[in-house]
Amino acid sequence: MTQRLPPSLTPLDTALAALLSGLEPLAPVELPLSEAAGCIAAGTPLLAAHPYHDIAAADGWALCANDLVGASSYSPLPLTRAPAWVEAGDPMPDGCDCVLDADAIDPSGPLVQVLAEGVPGHGVRRGGSDIAARTPAGAEGQPVVAADLLLARVAGLDKLGVRRPRLSIVNVPGATATMHMIAAIAGAAGVDVKTYEAGARDAVSIADALDISSCDLILTVGGSGVGRGDAAVAALAQRGHVIAHGLALQPGRTAAVAKLGKVPVVALPGSPDHALAVWLALVLPLIDRLSLRRPRRQVSLPLARKIASSVGIAEIALLAREHHGWTPLAVGEWPLQAIAGADAWLLIPDSHEGFAAGVPVDAYLMWE
C-alpha cells in the first residue's frame, strides 16, 4: 500500500512540540575522557589548583630577583653560594622567584658570578596559574571540548560526568550515503550512535529493525516519501503511534514523526539535503532536551541579499559568512555543494515572507 501525504502538512512547531512532550533530560553518566568529547557536561567536579606550587617553566638557575639588582656582564654580581639548577617542571626552591638561563651564570672563578638581572616570575609557572582552584572541569550544559579534556587530564581525572543520548539509526536500503552523513554528524555531537540495516524496503522489514530497548531516540533514513518503494511510515504505524507524516518544512516535506512507547522517532527522507534539514529543525532540539544543553549560540549578521520565503511553510536557508555578513547559498532546495560551503543555517518561520537585504538575522552555526 502506497504511503500518502495528508491534504494539509503539519506545522513544524506542532510536530516538534509533540515530540518534546514528556521528554525528560537523561541522568548524567561518567565516561572515560577518550569518549567524552562533544558530550554535554553534567555534574562536573571542581578541580584543584594546578600547579600546586610554583614550578620552573624552563631549565636554568633558580634565584631571587631582588638579590640580582645591578648585575650585568660589565658588573658581575658574586654569590656567596652556588644557586640551584632546576629543570622545567621542578618545584622552585624556597626564596627563589625567577629562573635565569645557563649563560647568565659564570661558575668558572672562585666565586659564582651572575651576569644578568632577574625579573620576578621569569621562567616560573606560578601555583594555580594553569588551573585556578575550584575551576569546573567543563561548562555545565555545554559540549565538552578539547580544552576541557586537557584540564581534566592535567588535574589527574580519568572520567567526566556527561549526558549522552543513545541514538538508533535504521537505514532503509537505498539511503546509505545519507545514513552515514547523519551518523557522522550525530557522533561528532557526542551522541552514542548505533546503526541498523532494514532487510528490505517493505514495512515488515523496516518494523523488524526498530528496537527501543536500548535507545533514547530513533531515526529512520529513507522510505518516508510517497513512492511505490517507500514504507517507513507504514512500519512506524505497525510498531507505534504516527504523530504526523508530511511537515510544513522545506527541505524535509516528506518527513514523519512518531513515538514508539515513550521513545520519539523521526523518519528522515533519503535525500541528503532533506534529511539534514529535518536533523537541524527537529532532531537537534530533541538531543538538546535529552542532554540538557544550554541554548545554542546564534550569530547575528546582516544579509548580503534578500531571502524570499512562502507563507505557510517553514524554510531553512543555508548561509556563508562573507565580508562581515551572511550570503544566502540556498533556500528550500539545497544542492550538495551549498551544504559543503555553508557556515550557518537560518530557520524562516512559516508566518514569515523572508528578510530584506541588510537586515541582521540570527543564524545557527552549521556544525556546532
Side-chain angles (χ1 to χ4, degrees):
M1 182 176 177
T2 303
Q3 295 175 165
R4 302 289 185 187
L5 291 178
S8 60
L9 301 176
T10 301
L12 176 63
D13 290 346
T14 301
L16 180 57
L19 288 173
L20 290 172
S21 178
L23 191 64
E24 297 294 333
L26 301 173
V29 297
E30 284 196 335
L31 289 182
L33 298 184
S34 59
E35 299 178 24
C39 299
I40 304 304
T44 52
L46 300 179
L47 304 178
H50 186 87
Y52 304 113
H53 40 64
D54 292 356
I55 62 173
D59 304 338
W61 301 102
L63 292 155
C64 176
N66 284 341
D67 296 339
L68 310 179
V69 176
S72 71
S73 58
Y74 298 103
S75 179
L77 176 69
L79 299 178
T80 57
R81 62 177 181 174
W85 176 265
V86 291
E87 306 280 347
D90 288 346
M92 288 294 292
D94 290 342
C96 297
D97 62 3
C98 66
V99 176
L100 297 189
D101 294 340
D103 58 5
I105 298 293
D106 179 8
S108 61
L111 291 177
V112 173
Q113 298 186 96
V114 182
L115 309 179
E117 291 187 316
V119 177
H122 176 75
V124 177
R125 182 158 288 175
R126 297 295 192 186
S129 60
D130 283 336
I131 304 175
R134 301 184 63 76
T135 296
E140 188 81 14
Q142 296 285 16
V144 174
V145 298
D148 299 324
L149 297 175
L150 172 63
L151 294 185
R153 288 189 173 98
V154 168
L157 299 183
D158 56 10
K159 293 183 178 181
L160 278 182
V162 298
R163 288 186 173 88
R164 190 187 193 191
R166 300 167 302 168
L167 171 64
S168 291
I169 302 179
V170 175
N171 182 52
V172 176
T176 302
T178 300
M179 181 274 291
H180 283 302
M181 175 191 72
I182 295 298
I185 294 170
V191 176
D192 182 11
V193 182
K194 288 185 171 58
T195 60
Y196 303 90
E197 186 80 19
R201 292 182 63 89
D202 61 273
V204 173
S205 298
I206 298 171
D208 286 344
L210 297 171
D211 181 8
I212 64 172
S213 62
S214 60
C215 66
D216 306 300
L217 173 63
I218 295 176
L219 303 180
T220 63
V221 182
S224 70
V226 294
R228 293 179 179 178
D230 291 326
V233 179
L236 293 178
Q238 290 181 18
R239 294 291 306 276
H241 168 59
V242 176
I243 298 169
H245 179 209
L247 304 181
L249 173 68
Q250 192 64 16
R253 185 173 65 98
T254 63
V257 295
K259 284 195 175 179
L260 272 58
K262 294 183 178 180
V263 177
V265 185
V266 181
L268 304 180
S271 174
D273 56 333
H274 288 251
L276 180 57
V278 178
W279 168 271
L280 297 173
L282 275 180
V283 183
L284 279 185
L286 299 178
I287 292 173
D288 290 354
R289 171 69 65 84
L290 288 168
S291 55
L292 205 60
R293 176 176 174 147
R294 292 180 184 175
R296 291 175 179 266
R297 183 167 66 97
Q298 292 178 285
V299 177
S300 182
L301 291 173
L303 281 174
R305 299 194 305 270
K306 75 173 184 178
I307 294 177
S309 179
S310 302
V311 174
I313 187 165
E315 293 190 272
I316 300 181
L318 296 182
L319 310 173
R321 188 168 188 167
E322 297 177 355
H323 308 298
H324 308 292
W326 291 129
T327 297
L329 297 179
V331 183
E333 295 292 340
W334 303 348
L336 296 186
Q337 62 184 4
I339 296 175
D343 297 311
W345 60 280
L346 173 67
L347 179 63
I348 308 167
D350 56 10
S351 59
H352 212 294
E353 294 182 350
F355 301 93
V359 171
V361 296
D362 298 328
Y364 292 101
L365 297 182
M366 192 68 184
W367 309 115
E368 186 172 287

